[in-house]
Amino acid sequence: MSDRWIAAGGTPTRVRKTFAGVGLLLAGIFIAFCVVAGPTLSVAMLMLASVAWAMPASNLWAITQTLAGPQAAGRWTGVQNFVGNLAGVAAPALTGLVVDRTGSFFWAFAITAAMCLLGAISWVFVVGPVQQVAWAQRTPVRVQETPVGNM
């Protein structure tokens, strides 16, 4: 959908940031509803949160590759993947710690919803234009050679 919007004339900045912000906002709202809903409704809210998360997921990779440009896309996506995997390790550990301390999943869901909402705000208001970063051109260093006999 985002690529079709861009093809129809939408700017990459508006399109990518809209999908990232709205998707995270919806995911946060659905996860927050899990806190107050019963077990059956919570499963439905988790499914909706997963669908909402799909909105920013593919656009995050497109944003990264656009910002990095061909010179650095591999490095940037590698770092992004690394940080995402760290979150995949930290989140279950934090969830277990919170549930162990509180005896309930309330705060685990509340923290997750807050992080989604913080992410949505960040994508919309903190991230700048989605355009390639102007990398500084490296100027070759010239070494002046001195003739052997003139030392």
Side-chain angles (χ1 to χ4, degrees):
M1 288 174 51
S2 61
D3 290 340
R4 287 184 182 177
W5 185 5
I6 291 171
T11 65
T13 298
R14 175 172 299 240
V15 173
R16 304 287 185 208
K17 288 173 70 170
T18 298
F19 271 82
V22 170
L24 285 171
L25 175 68
L26 290 174
I29 290 170
F30 291 134
I31 289 172
F33 282 147
C34 288
V35 173
V36 295
T40 304
L41 191 54
S42 287
V43 171
M45 292 295 115
L46 284 174
M47 290 172 58
L48 288 172
S50 295
V51 170
W53 170 244
M55 288 177 67
S58 62
N59 285 287
L60 296 180
W61 293 105
I63 290 169
T64 300
Q65 292 175 6
T66 302
L67 290 173
Q71 299 94 340
R75 283 177 267 172
W76 277 32
T77 55
V79 170
Q80 179 177 324
N81 197 32
F82 172 74
V83 172
N85 284 326
L86 282 180
V89 170
L94 179 62
T95 300
L97 179 69
V98 168
V99 171
D100 184 52
R101 299 284 170 123
T102 65
S104 139
F105 279 92
F106 174 85
W107 286 108
F109 278 96
I111 291 167
T112 303
M115 292 305 293
C116 286
L117 297 175
L118 182 64
I121 291 167
S122 296
W123 276 111
V124 173
F125 298 109
V126 177
V127 174
V130 178
Q131 59 190 15
Q132 184 176 343
V133 172
W135 299 106
Q137 295 293 325
R138 291 184 181 176
T139 55
V141 177
R142 294 184 179 233
V143 178
Q144 186 174 4
E145 295 182 24
T146 55
V148 178
N150 293 338
M151 288 185 149

